[in-house]
Amino acid sequence: MSTTETSTGTGADGAAEALSTAPREDGGSTGDAPNLPKLGVTGWLRWFWRQLTSMRVALLLLFLLSLAAIPGSLVPQEGSDPVKVSEFLKNHTSLGPIYTKLGLFHVYSSVWFSAVYILLFISLAGCIIPRSWQFVGQLRSQPPHAPRKLDRMPAYATWRTDAAPEEVLASARETLRARRYRTAPGGDSVAAEKGYLREAGNLIFHIALFGLLIAFAVGTLYKSDGNKLVVTGGGFTNNQTQYDDLRHGAFFEPDNMAPFGFTLNAFHATYEESGPQKGTPRSYAADVTYFGPDGKSHQRTIHVNDPLNVAGNKVYLTSHGYSMVVTVRDGQGNVAYSGPVPFLPLDGNVTSQGVVKVPDAVGKDGKRDQLGFAGLFTPTTVIDPVNGPHSVFPALERPALFITGYHGDLGMDSGLAQNVYTLDTTNKNLKQFTDDKGNPVRKLMVPGDTWTLPNGAGSITFNRIDQWANFEVVHQPGNSLALGSAVCMLLGLAGSLFIQRRRVWVRARRTDDGRTLVELAGLGRSESPKVAEELAVLVSAVHAKAPTAAEEPQESQPDSLSDGDHSDKEQS
Amino acid sequence: MTIAAGVNESLASISNYLVYSAITVYTLAFLAHIAEWTFGSRSRVARTARAVTESAAAPAAPAVRVARRGGGTTVLERPQVVTRDGSEDRGAIDGPGAAGGSEQGDLYGRIAISLTVLAWLLHFGGVVARALSVQRAPWGNMYEFSTTLGLVAVGLYLLLLALGKNVRWVGLFLTTTVLLDLGLAVTVLYADSDQLVPALHSYWLWIHVSCAIICGAAFHLGALATFLYLFRDGYEVRQAQGRVGRLDSMLERLPAAATLDKFAYRINAAIFPLWTFTIIAGSIWAESAWGRYWGWDPTETWSFITWVAYACYLHARATAGWKGRKAAYLCLIAFGCFLFNYYCVNIFIVGKHSYAGL
Ligand code: HEM
């Protein structure tokens, strides 16, 4: 460095301070006396508060937050994958209970994770509030007066001119104003400051973090999220009882569910027809007619990435499959069941499984004889001698239904909830239909086929194949607050990182030889060469109005270097 | 929704040829860089040149020349802006670069850069051909993501070079990591050209993933500079104590620790808002695809961790007592989180994000 004094950091001078509202750290390079806590409860509390809201603790808490988030990505989580959690508990009998106690299966709602972020947000509040006041104070007051020794500032320029000091100052102030600096006159100098948006951006960013937290909390507490399987032609109305399953937050109120509904008119799927990824789904589309709270109905097609938005709810298309439309007649020849039966896919080629339960069937003898069928459906059928029938393509190219039948008691009166997709074949009162030799009868059916059951027990007709689609209905308030906060965060961050807050001072003083000594100095807070570049522009503007006095005795010029790339290297 | 377009097989194989050629040329560039460093360290000239640079840089009072007004006969003294560095650096000066002033080394360095440009063009062709072969953005699986990330990283480096920034020192290290990246891509991560599953059909794929790639590439450069900073910082400490280390002949040719640190900081700080945006864009996409904007899916969790780690780094830079090495470690940890997210989470931890084809 060519300047002789050793640099003690830009904060050394009184006027240079408060270029930011960042809390000052004890023991920092500014060399303040450390603030030792005074004894006494309030003293300690104040000390604790100051620690909590210091940057160093904020740093520590941030670091802890990222550490605390890790286990949740490695251990299965209750919220996203309960099946894996129970698997884990089964496989790790000793670790499992410990993990449970530590809350490792619900990390993001565990006590310790909450503790870290709550402390962080308290620290944040304790940081933002004083900083905001301080910033308001800075906005209302004038830029601080020029420090005594301008040549100690990170960027400095000086020359002598014949123009009067008042003229120089007036023109400097004008120049600075034209460049949207806030200026304040002060005796033989002008003080100017610019880039308040940096501080504003920083505060907005940190405040927006609160917005995000609130949005997140509201979303979690009021959320409802349920599934509904709808067969083509079938419908759904938004009512707790209509859902196949419904999860919700603590403050969810079933009475406040928005009134809307829809009917599934048709479902379309396309698949990769050839190549190594043959059978990979390429597009899904569900055509629906829906009505909102106003009762008017509309047409819409729901795609995978494109949910239906109605009455503050979103309806997502999550999966699909085939349903078998069957007609079952009982031993009396009456239609005991007729309609679509959804089958659940087992693999990517939609080999599907399902059951038909006919509780109201009456036998030949007029006594109750319930009927049940278990089926395996393959949309593009291949019968493999080893693996049996399976599907090789998800679309309906060679559909077939393999079905076995049971009669007797389906066990539906036992009071226990039954899965509609499985038959309880362990039930002794449920007998399988067998052939003459006593082997179970398995029937291959294609649409249009009718299977007449043995012993006049009735018949089942496979009318046609329909599709079903599963919809996830999500109601999560607070999304727009979250998005708004995120946008504010982004804008604030950009302001905070890309805008430089800086001060410029211009001093013009008459010297003994009757000339005017002009000094310009610039100070920025962050790491950027811009301050020097900007000062150079200002210097040239002021210099144009107050040129260097012509017959000035030449001063020795040790540094004959020109140019900006050096300031690029040296300036921080 | 778009009906699947076919895959143009010949373009797909052209793409593969181009990527392999790029790897070959990057390897040559890597070797040329090695030659550059080797000649640089052998060179006696290096030391002299260093002394020269040192004395040239010594009057560290750079001046900003102010345009002279008018064409008067009197010679006007031009006011100059004198700058002073407020930061606590040791006043160490930047090294002369890999070639260390040796002419031969410099020649190899230039060859290396030319080869890097050529390799980059091939690489670019490879990525474009891949994109054309499937008529979508070339980042639908990990193979494509890796190749595009390498492309952007080298592209950023070449852009900085073209802008006249002093970044030649990173050449050797960057070609090394890009070769690693591409090597992994064509062996472990390779997936044939293909269409996307419906869940990836969205313009958010363009936005979210392209931002993630740019961020990854920039963080990569920042991490390389930080990594070198740690070595160079050690060297400067040793110099101050009059000790000598094994790598010193190499380290003395790197830019000063303060320069490396500043370079890393600027890149990381400039890209952090984009990383924030990447996560926000991802949440918006998740909201429209899966019904929630945030679900603590492993990939989401790790991008959050990465984000917090970079926020930590930025805080550290603003906190007295945490600048320098401590902040550098945070930067490397943060980039480590990015890498972990990309390789480990995608491959070993099953979440909703598992890419098609791997
Ligand atoms: C909730 C977690 C937090 C996050 C994610 C966060 C994030 C960030 C980021 C990314 C920056 C860089 C922007 C810039 O340099 O201007 C920053 C700056 C800053 N943060 Fe935070 N922050 C958090 C909490 C806090 C807390 C608790 C405090 C108070 C102790 C704080 C005080 C500051 C200050 C003073 C700056 C400005 C530093 C400067 O002026 O260079 N932050 N924060």
Side-chain angles (χ1 to χ4, degrees), chain A residues 156 277 314 316 527 570, chain B residues 82 84-85 194 287 317:
Chain A
Y156 176 74
Q277 305 228 353
K314 287 194 168 173
Y316 295 84
E527 327 213 358
E570 293 299 325
Chain B
V82 179
R84 283 158 49 101
D85 204 323
D194 214 334
E287 208 266 337
R317 295 284 309 211

